[in-house]
Amino acid sequence: MAIRMIRKGNDEILKEKASQVKEITPNIINILEDMAETMYSKEGIGLAANQIGVPKRLVVIDIQDGNLLELINPEIIDQEGKEVEIEGCLSFPGILGEVPRATRVVVEAFNREGEKIKLEANGLLARVLQHEIDHLEGNLLVDRAVRFLEEDN
Ligand code: ZN
């Protein structure tokens, strides 16, 4: 495992649409493991593969509940409600924005064993899922934010 460099700001790869993972190879597992290590090293709660320069549909999330989610080809299949909360992004350090998101989402994905999984989430997990799946489409916090705030540190 290795900590990878996080792509930031105007890096073009952040605006690319990531491609579907066709086969879960050892390389894909390595990328997932590097993504988790990189996310934890920055105390992040989610990371998409294009943030480490890999334009594939891979996401890791850990909202600090001791549960690491590894999602392959995640897709939002249902959503409802709307709420605005403050978000940050490891690719935009120092920037916080108020972003409208659905309050509840249902996501389908594959796990590393290739099994289809279905997640129903609300609150923070729903928000992180939407933020990370947005990354796979090249949609960024800075595009979604309706207002920006200064970070206090
Ligand atoms: Zn982000």
Side-chain angles (χ1 to χ4, degrees), residues 14 46-48 51 87-92 101 131-132 135 139-141:
L14 295 175
L47 194 71
Q51 291 182 275
E87 283 180 26
C89 178
L90 292 174
S91 292
F92 294 91
R101 301 279 187 195
H131 178 112
E132 302 310 332
H135 269 298
N139 294 324
L140 300 168
L141 162 72

Side-chain angles (χ1 to χ4, degrees), residues 7-8 12 66 72 78 108 126 151-152:
R7 304 299 185 93
K8 296 198 177 89
E12 283 301 316
I72 300 168
D78 195 18
E108 276 185 355
E151 204 170 23
D152 303 329

